[in-house]
Structure formats: structure tokens, C-alpha cells
């Protein structure tokens, strides 16, 4: 939600239960997928689990009517016997589907956006795909799962860079959070942060060293920065609570106005996101 819309997920019920209670998901918010849909992007989301989990499917339908290819979709298409990781489709197989989908999308003259959700490191102990990372079995545990995920994602990026469509494609790698296991990373590792990367971007704003290093930013800031990486001008440098990191404006963390408790309070502006959006963004 923060990456997509620049706002927190602040609902009157548990977020993971939202899909069971409502088929409408923040109708009044304008999100990344809404903007891309308005610009005629063909959007596909590869989801290794059921689309109804946490209401993600309803969110994507509400915002841009994104095509969803989830566990049920791929079961109908046919899955190999070893498709399963810890939970749903294992990452390596999901990226094979991503390659097929990219080749399919690239045949059209339409602009496209492909979203790939990974989950091998989401489980408490992680999942090591022995077919892809048999040499990491001896490492074992969550560390082995992280190393395997690194290899799988790296191989996919390298494959993408070898394709004809790459020259006009921006790859964005986003981390959800630091680790599913508390204190997995040693406390003596200073400034350990969530890994994010923009590969082959076409930033609207000129890239300046002070804007891409040693910044304090949050998930909110990714939303406008993704659009900037697609050569989109963000007037005023802000969308939602996010700041385009290439704009030169300070983020709410850098401005010292971030207050987690305040973000959870009732807000008339936030309540308006629950209602139907009027007109275009």
C-alpha cells in the first residue's frame, strides 16, 4: 500500500482480513496502478498465492483493473509436481512465469508493467529451492533462503538485461521489510536497511549524488520515485505522504515530522480514500 499509493494501510480491521470483509479497497485513493492504467499500460501481477489473501486481488481490481495470475490461475494452466515452496509457488518457478509473461507482453506495442511478488524469504525459516540452490543446503535456515533468493532474483535480472525490450524497461527491486526473523542480522552491522534498487531508469530529474546516497526515506517515497524513473514529472515533488527522491525535496523522515502514532489516528482525509474516487487522478 505504501509503495503503491504513498499512504499507510490504516483500516478499521486487520489488513490481512480485509479481503474477507469487503470487495472495495480504498476506492478514493489514486495509486501507481491507477496512473499507469490511465496511460494505457497493460499491467499483470504474478501472485504465488491465492489472490484473495489480504485483499490484494480486490485492491488490484479496484486500482487499474490489473490482470492477476495467481496460484489458482497457474494450477489451471498446469503446474509441475514440485511447484510448491513454503507457501504457494516457489520463487524460481514464479520467475520462469515472469519470463514467459514478459516475452508475451513485449510482443505488443503497448507499454506494460509486470509485478512479481516473491515469498521464499517471507516464511519464518525461509525456503531453499534445492533445484536452484542445492549448494546452499549446507548453509541452511533463513540465511540459506536469503542467499538463494539473491541468486534467483539476480539470474532473472541478468536474463531481462539480455532481452530486446530491456532498453526501454525500468526494473525496480523493492524490499518489504528487513527480515521476518527478529534480530537475524547482527546488531554490530551498522545502518542495515531494506534493499531497494532502480535498474535502467529514465529519471525525469537529473540524478545527483546527494539525492541517491545516505538518505532517510520510507516506503511512501517509492511511489513518486518509481514514476520519476519512468520519466514522469512529479509537480511539487510529492504524492501522498511520499516525496520523489530525485526532486530535491526533503522526505517526512528528513524533515523530522514523521510520527508513527499520528499515522494511526482517525483522519477525515484518509476516510475519503475509503469512498469512490471522483473523476480522473
Amino acid at each position: 500500500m505504501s509503495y503503491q499509493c504513498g499512504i499507510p494501510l490504516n483500516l478499521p480491521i486487520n489488513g490481512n482480513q480485509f479481503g474477507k470483509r469487503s470487495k472495495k479497497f480504498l476506492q478514493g485513493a489514486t495509486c501507481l496502478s491507477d496512473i499507469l492504467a490511465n496511460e494505457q499500460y497493460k499491467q499483470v501481477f504474478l501472485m504465488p498465492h491465492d489472490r484473495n489473501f489480504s485483499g490484494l486481488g480486490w485492491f488490484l481490481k479496484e486500482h487499474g483493473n490489473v490482470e492477476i495470475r495467481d496460484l489458482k490461475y497457474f494450477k489451471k494452466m498446469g503446474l509441475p509436481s514440485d511447484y510448491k515452496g513454503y507457501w504457494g509457488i516457489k520463487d524460481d518457478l514464479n520467475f520462469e512465469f515472469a519470463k514467459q509473461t514478459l516475452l508475451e507482453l513485449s510482443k505488443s506495442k503497448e507499454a506494460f508493467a509486470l509485478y512479481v511478488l516473491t515469498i521464499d524469504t517471507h516464511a519464518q525459516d525461509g525456503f531453499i529451492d534445492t533445484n536452484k540452490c542445492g549448494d546452499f543446503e549446507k548453509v541452511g535456515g533463513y540465511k540459506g533462503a536469503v542467499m538463494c533468493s539473491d541468486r534467483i532474483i539476480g539470474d532473472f535480472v541478468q536474463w531481462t538485461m539480455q532481452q530486446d525490450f530491456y532498453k526501454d524497461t525500468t526494473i525496480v527491486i523493492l524490499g518489504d521489510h528487513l527480515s521476518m526473523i527478529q534480530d537475524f542480522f547482527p546488531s554490530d552491522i551498522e545502518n542495515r536497511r531494506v534493499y531497494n534498487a532502480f535498474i535502467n531508469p529514465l529519471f525525469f530529474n537529473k540524478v545527483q549524488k546527494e539525492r541517491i546516497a545516505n538518505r532517510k526515506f520510507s516506503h511512501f517515497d517509492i511511489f513518486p520515485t518509481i514514476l520519476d524513473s519512468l520519466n514522469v514529472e512529479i509537480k511539487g515533488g510529492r504524492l501522498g505522504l511520499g516525496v520523489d527522491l530525485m526532486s530535491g525535496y526533503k522526505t517526512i523522515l528528513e524533515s523530522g515530522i514523521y510520527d508513527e502514532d499520528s499515522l494511526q489516528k482517525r483522519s477525515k482525509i484518509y476516510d475519503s480514500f475509503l469512498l469512490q474516487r471522483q473523476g480522473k487522478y
Side-chain angles (χ1 to χ4, degrees):
M1 183 59 59
S2 301
Y3 282 152
Q4 268 274 340
C5 311
I7 57 175
L9 185 60
N10 188 5
L11 301 172
I13 61 175
N14 180 280
N16 285 342
Q17 298 298 316
F18 195 79
K20 299 178 181 179
R21 305 290 183 88
S22 175
K23 296 181 180 181
K24 302 296 182 181
F25 207 131
L26 296 179
Q27 295 172 272
T30 297
C31 304
L32 175 65
S33 49
D34 293 309
I35 296 173
L36 295 183
N38 192 70
E39 296 300 320
Q40 307 303 309
Y41 272 68
K42 169 67 175 177
Q43 301 181 82
V44 179
F45 198 112
L46 299 189
M47 199 178 298
H49 51 69
D50 188 281
R51 68 185 63 196
N52 292 324
F53 176 73
S54 73
L56 182 54
W58 296 118
F59 170 81
L60 294 171
K61 182 177 180 180
E62 188 71 42
H63 295 276
N65 198 25
V66 179
E67 179 185 343
I68 300 170
R69 301 181 182 182
D70 67 345
L71 179 59
K72 288 184 178 179
Y73 171 91
F74 287 112
K75 279 185 175 180
K76 290 181 180 179
M77 298 298 290
L79 284 169
S81 58
D82 63 343
Y83 77 87
K84 197 172 183 180
Y86 180 86
W87 176 45
I89 299 172
K90 59 184 180 180
D91 288 350
D92 188 46
L93 181 57
N94 201 24
F95 276 117
E96 288 302 314
F97 293 143
K99 292 177 183 179
Q100 297 172 20
T101 306
L102 282 172
L103 292 175
E104 169 194 330
L105 292 171
S106 65
K107 291 179 181 178
S108 170
K109 293 183 179 180
E110 292 181 289
F112 61 82
L114 176 65
Y115 309 87
V116 184
L117 177 65
T118 65
I119 56 174
D120 280 0
T121 60
H122 193 73
Q124 189 65 26
D125 295 322
F127 171 76
I128 300 175
D129 188 342
T130 55
N131 291 332
K132 185 72 175 182
C133 306
D135 52 329
F136 291 151
E137 279 191 282
K138 59 184 178 182
V139 176
Y142 196 72
K143 182 177 181 180
V146 171
M147 293 171 68
C148 187
S149 181
D150 180 71
R151 173 181 290 176
I152 291 170
I153 295 171
D155 287 350
F156 174 72
V157 171
Q158 289 297 319
W159 175 88
T160 304
M161 295 173 71
Q162 296 169 10
Q163 307 309 307
D164 292 338
F165 60 79
Y166 173 71
K167 63 181 183 298
D168 300 315
T169 302
T170 294
I171 300 174
V172 182
I173 301 174
L174 300 175
D176 186 10
H177 38 64
L178 194 58
S179 170
M180 285 295 289
I181 298 180
Q182 294 294 326
D183 302 322
F184 172 74
F185 294 103
S187 59
D188 59 351
I189 297 180
E190 296 183 1
N191 299 320
R192 177 74 190 188
R193 297 292 183 265
V194 174
Y195 180 83
N196 303 299
F198 287 77
I199 301 171
N200 198 38
L202 185 62
F203 284 117
F204 178 86
N205 287 294
K206 182 179 179 181
V207 177
Q208 300 181 34
K209 185 177 180 180
E210 62 271 17
R211 296 180 184 177
I212 62 174
N214 301 319
R215 297 287 302 276
K216 290 183 178 180
F217 65 94
S218 68
H219 289 39
F220 302 136
D221 306 307
I222 295 297
F223 171 31
T225 306
I226 287 177
L227 288 172
D228 189 312
S229 76
L230 302 178
N231 199 32
V232 176
E233 178 184 9
I234 309 298
K235 293 184 178 180
R238 294 178 173 86
L239 289 174
L241 296 177
V243 168
D244 174 7
L245 295 172
M246 298 296 110
S247 68
Y249 290 95
K250 289 184 177 180
T251 68
I252 59 174
L253 287 176
E254 292 170 329
S255 299
I257 60 174
Y258 178 83
D259 183 348
E260 188 170 352
D261 291 335
S262 294
L263 290 178
Q264 302 302 316
K265 292 180 180 178
R266 182 75 179 271
S267 163
K268 290 183 178 180
I269 294 177
Y270 195 93
D271 287 348
S272 70
F273 298 149
L274 303 176
L275 305 175
Q276 182 67 48
R277 182 170 57 252
Q278 299 298 319
K280 295 183 178 180
Y281 64 89

mmCIF file with all atom_site columns, all heavy atoms in Angstrom, residues 8 10-11 259-271:
data_model
loop_
_atom_site.group_PDB
_atom_site.id
_atom_site.type_symbol
_atom_site.label_atom_id
_atom_site.label_alt_id
_atom_site.label_comp_id
_atom_site.label_asym_id
_atom_site.label_entity_id
_atom_site.label_seq_id
_atom_site.pdbx_PDB_ins_code
_atom_site.Cartn_x
_atom_site.Cartn_y
_atom_site.Cartn_z
_atom_site.occupancy
_atom_site.B_iso_or_equiv
_atom_site.pdbx_formal_charge
_atom_site.auth_seq_id
_atom_site.auth_comp_id
_atom_site.auth_asym_id
_atom_site.auth_atom_id
_atom_site.pdbx_PDB_model_num
ATOM 1   N N   . PRO A 1 8   ? -0.334  4.997  4.346  1.00 0.00 ? 8   PRO A N   1
ATOM 2   C CA  . PRO A 1 8   ? -0.282  3.775  5.155  1.00 0.00 ? 8   PRO A CA  1
ATOM 3   C C   . PRO A 1 8   ? -1.564  2.973  5.006  1.00 0.00 ? 8   PRO A C   1
ATOM 4   O O   . PRO A 1 8   ? -2.580  3.478  4.516  1.00 0.00 ? 8   PRO A O   1
ATOM 5   C CB  . PRO A 1 8   ? -0.133  4.317  6.582  1.00 0.00 ? 8   PRO A CB  1
ATOM 6   C CG  . PRO A 1 8   ? -0.822  5.647  6.537  1.00 0.00 ? 8   PRO A CG  1
ATOM 7   C CD  . PRO A 1 8   ? -0.532  6.204  5.169  1.00 0.00 ? 8   PRO A CD  1
ATOM 8   N N   . ASN A 1 10  ? -4.300  1.896  6.907  1.00 0.00 ? 10  ASN A N   1
ATOM 9   C CA  . ASN A 1 10  ? -4.886  2.248  8.203  1.00 0.00 ? 10  ASN A CA  1
ATOM 10  C C   . ASN A 1 10  ? -6.385  1.989  8.129  1.00 0.00 ? 10  ASN A C   1
ATOM 11  O O   . ASN A 1 10  ? -7.180  2.883  7.853  1.00 0.00 ? 10  ASN A O   1
ATOM 12  C CB  . ASN A 1 10  ? -4.610  3.724  8.517  1.00 0.00 ? 10  ASN A CB  1
ATOM 13  C CG  . ASN A 1 10  ? -5.019  4.102  9.926  1.00 0.00 ? 10  ASN A CG  1
ATOM 14  O OD1 . ASN A 1 10  ? -5.423  3.248  10.716 1.00 0.00 ? 10  ASN A OD1 1
ATOM 15  N ND2 . ASN A 1 10  ? -4.924  5.378  10.245 1.00 0.00 ? 10  ASN A ND2 1
ATOM 16  N N   . LEU A 1 11  ? -6.756  0.732  8.356  1.00 0.00 ? 11  LEU A N   1
ATOM 17  C CA  . LEU A 1 11  ? -8.142  0.313  8.206  1.00 0.00 ? 11  LEU A CA  1
ATOM 18  C C   . LEU A 1 11  ? -8.740  -0.051 9.560  1.00 0.00 ? 11  LEU A C   1
ATOM 19  O O   . LEU A 1 11  ? -8.021  -0.380 10.506 1.00 0.00 ? 11  LEU A O   1
ATOM 20  C CB  . LEU A 1 11  ? -8.222  -0.892 7.263  1.00 0.00 ? 11  LEU A CB  1
ATOM 21  C CG  . LEU A 1 11  ? -7.673  -0.664 5.848  1.00 0.00 ? 11  LEU A CG  1
ATOM 22  C CD1 . LEU A 1 11  ? -7.638  -1.976 5.074  1.00 0.00 ? 11  LEU A CD1 1
ATOM 23  C CD2 . LEU A 1 11  ? -8.510  0.361  5.098  1.00 0.00 ? 11  LEU A CD2 1
ATOM 24  N N   . ASP A 1 259 ? 5.651   10.793 12.428 1.00 0.00 ? 259 ASP A N   1
ATOM 25  C CA  . ASP A 1 259 ? 5.131   10.375 13.730 1.00 0.00 ? 259 ASP A CA  1
ATOM 26  C C   . ASP A 1 259 ? 4.239   9.156  13.502 1.00 0.00 ? 259 ASP A C   1
ATOM 27  O O   . ASP A 1 259 ? 3.116   9.281  13.002 1.00 0.00 ? 259 ASP A O   1
ATOM 28  C CB  . ASP A 1 259 ? 4.329   11.513 14.362 1.00 0.00 ? 259 ASP A CB  1
ATOM 29  C CG  . ASP A 1 259 ? 3.828   11.168 15.764 1.00 0.00 ? 259 ASP A CG  1
ATOM 30  O OD1 . ASP A 1 259 ? 3.900   9.984  16.146 1.00 0.00 ? 259 ASP A OD1 1
ATOM 31  O OD2 . ASP A 1 259 ? 3.362   12.076 16.467 1.00 0.00 ? 259 ASP A OD2 1
ATOM 32  N N   . GLU A 1 260 ? 4.758   7.984  13.851 1.00 0.00 ? 260 GLU A N   1
ATOM 33  C CA  . GLU A 1 260 ? 4.031   6.743  13.582 1.00 0.00 ? 260 GLU A CA  1
ATOM 34  C C   . GLU A 1 260 ? 2.691   6.703  14.289 1.00 0.00 ? 260 GLU A C   1
ATOM 35  O O   . GLU A 1 260 ? 1.694   6.230  13.730 1.00 0.00 ? 260 GLU A O   1
ATOM 36  C CB  . GLU A 1 260 ? 4.878   5.542  14.003 1.00 0.00 ? 260 GLU A CB  1
ATOM 37  C CG  . GLU A 1 260 ? 4.277   4.210  13.590 1.00 0.00 ? 260 GLU A CG  1
ATOM 38  C CD  . GLU A 1 260 ? 5.224   3.048  13.793 1.00 0.00 ? 260 GLU A CD  1
ATOM 39  O OE1 . GLU A 1 260 ? 6.410   3.301  14.111 1.00 0.00 ? 260 GLU A OE1 1
ATOM 40  O OE2 . GLU A 1 260 ? 4.789   1.902  13.627 1.00 0.00 ? 260 GLU A OE2 1
ATOM 41  N N   . ASP A 1 261 ? 2.627   7.214  15.513 1.00 0.00 ? 261 ASP A N   1
ATOM 42  C CA  . ASP A 1 261 ? 1.368   7.206  16.257 1.00 0.00 ? 261 ASP A CA  1
ATOM 43  C C   . ASP A 1 261 ? 0.317   8.065  15.559 1.00 0.00 ? 261 ASP A C   1
ATOM 44  O O   . ASP A 1 261 ? -0.859  7.696  15.495 1.00 0.00 ? 261 ASP A O   1
ATOM 45  C CB  . ASP A 1 261 ? 1.590   7.709  17.689 1.00 0.00 ? 261 ASP A CB  1
ATOM 46  C CG  . ASP A 1 261 ? 2.405   6.735  18.530 1.00 0.00 ? 261 ASP A CG  1
ATOM 47  O OD1 . ASP A 1 261 ? 2.388   5.530  18.212 1.00 0.00 ? 261 ASP A OD1 1
ATOM 48  O OD2 . ASP A 1 261 ? 3.055   7.181  19.491 1.00 0.00 ? 261 ASP A OD2 1
ATOM 49  N N   . SER A 1 262 ? 0.743   9.201  15.019 1.00 0.00 ? 262 SER A N   1
ATOM 50  C CA  . SER A 1 262 ? -0.200  10.098 14.346 1.00 0.00 ? 262 SER A CA  1
ATOM 51  C C   . SER A 1 262 ? -0.764  9.459  13.086 1.00 0.00 ? 262 SER A C   1
ATOM 52  O O   . SER A 1 262 ? -1.922  9.704  12.719 1.00 0.00 ? 262 SER A O   1
ATOM 53  C CB  . SER A 1 262 ? 0.483   11.421 13.988 1.00 0.00 ? 262 SER A CB  1
ATOM 54  O OG  . SER A 1 262 ? 0.837   12.131 15.164 1.00 0.00 ? 262 SER A OG  1
ATOM 55  N N   . LEU A 1 263 ? 0.033   8.625  12.432 1.00 0.00 ? 263 LEU A N   1
ATOM 56  C CA  . LEU A 1 263 ? -0.430  7.980  11.202 1.00 0.00 ? 263 LEU A CA  1
ATOM 57  C C   . LEU A 1 263 ? -1.567  7.008  11.470 1.00 0.00 ? 263 LEU A C   1
ATOM 58  O O   . LEU A 1 263 ? -2.329  6.674  10.556 1.00 0.00 ? 263 LEU A O   1
ATOM 59  C CB  . LEU A 1 263 ? 0.727   7.236  10.524 1.00 0.00 ? 263 LEU A CB  1
ATOM 60  C CG  . LEU A 1 263 ? 1.829   8.091  9.903  1.00 0.00 ? 263 LEU A CG  1
ATOM 61  C CD1 . LEU A 1 263 ? 2.910   7.208  9.311  1.00 0.00 ? 263 LEU A CD1 1
ATOM 62  C CD2 . LEU A 1 263 ? 1.260   9.018  8.840  1.00 0.00 ? 263 LEU A CD2 1
ATOM 63  N N   . GLN A 1 264 ? -1.692  6.553  12.724 1.00 0.00 ? 264 GLN A N   1
ATOM 64  C CA  . GLN A 1 264 ? -2.734  5.586  13.065 1.00 0.00 ? 264 GLN A CA  1
ATOM 65  C C   . GLN A 1 264 ? -4.019  6.259  13.553 1.00 0.00 ? 264 GLN A C   1
ATOM 66  O O   . GLN A 1 264 ? -5.027  5.590  13.774 1.00 0.00 ? 264 GLN A O   1
ATOM 67  C CB  . GLN A 1 264 ? -2.216  4.633  14.150 1.00 0.00 ? 264 GLN A CB  1
ATOM 68  C CG  . GLN A 1 264 ? -0.965  3.863  13.760 1.00 0.00 ? 264 GLN A CG  1
ATOM 69  C CD  . GLN A 1 264 ? -1.161  3.035  12.505 1.00 0.00 ? 264 GLN A CD  1
ATOM 70  O OE1 . GLN A 1 264 ? -2.181  2.379  12.344 1.00 0.00 ? 264 GLN A OE1 1
ATOM 71  N NE2 . GLN A 1 264 ? -0.185  3.070  11.610 1.00 0.00 ? 264 GLN A NE2 1
ATOM 72  N N   . LYS A 1 265 ? -3.998  7.580  13.695 1.00 0.00 ? 265 LYS A N   1
ATOM 73  C CA  . LYS A 1 265 ? -5.165  8.287  14.189 1.00 0.00 ? 265 LYS A CA  1
ATOM 74  C C   . LYS A 1 265 ? -6.209  8.474  13.091 1.00 0.00 ? 265 LYS A C   1
ATOM 75  O O   . LYS A 1 265 ? -5.903  8.419  11.910 1.00 0.00 ? 265 LYS A O   1
ATOM 76  C CB  . LYS A 1 265 ? -4.740  9.651  14.752 1.00 0.00 ? 265 LYS A CB  1
ATOM 77  C CG  . LYS A 1 265 ? -3.893  9.562  16.015 1.00 0.00 ? 265 LYS A CG  1
ATOM 78  C CD  . LYS A 1 265 ? -3.520  10.948 16.514 1.00 0.00 ? 265 LYS A CD  1
ATOM 79  C CE  . LYS A 1 265 ? -2.678  10.860 17.789 1.00 0.00 ? 265 LYS A CE  1
ATOM 80  N NZ  . LYS A 1 265 ? -2.271  12.206 18.275 1.00 0.00 ? 265 LYS A NZ  1
ATOM 81  N N   . ARG A 1 266 ? -7.435  8.704  13.514 1.00 0.00 ? 266 ARG A N   1
ATOM 82  C CA  . ARG A 1 266 ? -8.536  8.937  12.577 1.00 0.00 ? 266 ARG A CA  1
ATOM 83  C C   . ARG A 1 266 ? -8.274  10.230 11.799 1.00 0.00 ? 266 ARG A C   1
ATOM 84  O O   . ARG A 1 266 ? -7.841  11.237 12.360 1.00 0.00 ? 266 ARG A O   1
ATOM 85  C CB  . ARG A 1 266 ? -9.849  9.050  13.358 1.00 0.00 ? 266 ARG A CB  1
ATOM 86  C CG  . ARG A 1 266 ? -11.087 9.241  12.497 1.00 0.00 ? 266 ARG A CG  1
ATOM 87  C CD  . ARG A 1 266 ? -11.482 7.967  11.810 1.00 0.00 ? 266 ARG A CD  1
ATOM 88  N NE  . ARG A 1 266 ? -12.686 8.151  11.011 1.00 0.00 ? 266 ARG A NE  1
ATOM 89  C CZ  . ARG A 1 266 ? -13.918 7.984  11.477 1.00 0.00 ? 266 ARG A CZ  1
ATOM 90  N NH1 . ARG A 1 266 ? -14.096 7.603  12.740 1.00 0.00 ? 266 ARG A NH1 1
ATOM 91  N NH2 . ARG A 1 266 ? -14.972 8.152  10.694 1.00 0.00 ? 266 ARG A NH2 1
ATOM 92  N N   . SER A 1 267 ? -8.533  10.182 10.500 1.00 0.00 ? 267 SER A N   1
ATOM 93  C CA  . SER A 1 267 ? -8.282  11.339 9.642  1.00 0.00 ? 267 SER A CA  1
ATOM 94  C C   . SER A 1 267 ? -9.404  11.463 8.631  1.00 0.00 ? 267 SER A C   1
ATOM 95  O O   . SER A 1 267 ? -9.760  10.493 7.953  1.00 0.00 ? 267 SER A O   1
ATOM 96  C CB  . SER A 1 267 ? -6.941  11.183 8.917  1.00 0.00 ? 267 SER A CB  1
ATOM 97  O OG  . SER A 1 267 ? -6.845  12.062 7.820  1.00 0.00 ? 267 SER A OG  1
ATOM 98  N N   . LYS A 1 268 ? -9.974  12.654 8.481  1.00 0.00 ? 268 LYS A N   1
ATOM 99  C CA  . LYS A 1 268 ? -11.037 12.868 7.500  1.00 0.00 ? 268 LYS A CA  1
ATOM 100 C C   . LYS A 1 268 ? -10.495 12.691 6.081  1.00 0.00 ? 268 LYS A C   1
ATOM 101 O O   . LYS A 1 268 ? -11.198 12.197 5.194  1.00 0.00 ? 268 LYS A O   1
ATOM 102 C CB  . LYS A 1 268 ? -11.629 14.266 7.665  1.00 0.00 ? 268 LYS A CB  1
ATOM 103 C CG  . LYS A 1 268 ? -12.449 14.452 8.934  1.00 0.00 ? 268 LYS A CG  1
ATOM 104 C CD  . LYS A 1 268 ? -13.064 15.842 9.000  1.00 0.00 ? 268 LYS A CD  1
ATOM 105 C CE  . LYS A 1 268 ? -13.921 15.996 10.255 1.00 0.00 ? 268 LYS A CE  1
ATOM 106 N NZ  . LYS A 1 268 ? -14.527 17.357 10.338 1.00 0.00 ? 268 LYS A NZ  1
ATOM 107 N N   . ILE A 1 269 ? -9.241  13.105 5.877  1.00 0.00 ? 269 ILE A N   1
ATOM 108 C CA  . ILE A 1 269 ? -8.636  12.933 4.556  1.00 0.00 ? 269 ILE A CA  1
ATOM 109 C C   . ILE A 1 269 ? -8.482  11.453 4.244  1.00 0.00 ? 269 ILE A C   1
ATOM 110 O O   . ILE A 1 269 ? -8.832  10.989 3.155  1.00 0.00 ? 269 ILE A O   1
ATOM 111 C CB  . ILE A 1 269 ? -7.269  13.648 4.482  1.00 0.00 ? 269 ILE A CB  1
ATOM 112 C CG1 . ILE A 1 269 ? -7.456  15.161 4.595  1.00 0.00 ? 269 ILE A CG1 1
ATOM 113 C CG2 . ILE A 1 269 ? -6.537  13.298 3.189  1.00 0.00 ? 269 ILE A CG2 1
ATOM 114 C CD1 . ILE A 1 269 ? -6.154  15.941 4.601  1.00 0.00 ? 269 ILE A CD1 1
ATOM 115 N N   . TYR A 1 270 ? -7.988  10.695 5.215  1.00 0.00 ? 270 TYR A N   1
ATOM 116 C CA  . TYR A 1 270 ? -7.821  9.259  4.980  1.00 0.00 ? 270 TYR A CA  1
ATOM 117 C C   . TYR A 1 270 ? -9.169  8.584  4.788  1.00 0.00 ? 270 TYR A C   1
ATOM 118 O O   . TYR A 1 270 ? -9.313  7.698  3.931  1.00 0.00 ? 270 TYR A O   1
ATOM 119 C CB  . TYR A 1 270 ? -7.066  8.604  6.135  1.00 0.00 ? 270 TYR A CB  1
ATOM 120 C CG  . TYR A 1 270 ? -6.545  7.228  5.788  1.00 0.00 ? 270 TYR A CG  1
ATOM 121 C CD1 . TYR A 1 270 ? -5.258  7.064  5.303  1.00 0.00 ? 270 TYR A CD1 1
ATOM 122 C CD2 . TYR A 1 270 ? -7.342  6.096  5.923  1.00 0.00 ? 270 TYR A CD2 1
ATOM 123 C CE1 . TYR A 1 270 ? -4.765  5.812  4.950  1.00 0.00 ? 270 TYR A CE1 1
ATOM 124 C CE2 . TYR A 1 270 ? -6.867  4.843  5.577  1.00 0.00 ? 270 TYR A CE2 1
ATOM 125 C CZ  . TYR A 1 270 ? -5.578  4.707  5.096  1.00 0.00 ? 270 TYR A CZ  1
ATOM 126 O OH  . TYR A 1 270 ? -5.115  3.464  4.741  1.00 0.00 ? 270 TYR A OH  1
ATOM 127 N N   . ASP A 1 271 ? -10.170 9.001  5.558  1.00 0.00 ? 271 ASP A N   1
ATOM 128 C CA  . ASP A 1 271 ? -11.504 8.408  5.411  1.00 0.00 ? 271 ASP A CA  1
ATOM 129 C C   . ASP A 1 271 ? -12.039 8.612  4.002  1.00 0.00 ? 271 ASP A C   1
ATOM 130 O O   . ASP A 1 271 ? -12.796 7.780  3.494  1.00 0.00 ? 271 ASP A O   1
ATOM 131 C CB  . ASP A 1 271 ? -12.471 9.018  6.424  1.00 0.00 ? 271 ASP A CB  1
ATOM 132 C CG  . ASP A 1 271 ? -12.213 8.533  7.847  1.00 0.00 ? 271 ASP A CG  1
ATOM 133 O OD1 . ASP A 1 271 ? -11.433 7.565  8.003  1.00 0.00 ? 271 ASP A OD1 1
ATOM 134 O OD2 . ASP A 1 271 ? -12.772 9.116  8.786  1.00 0.00 ? 271 ASP A OD2 1
#
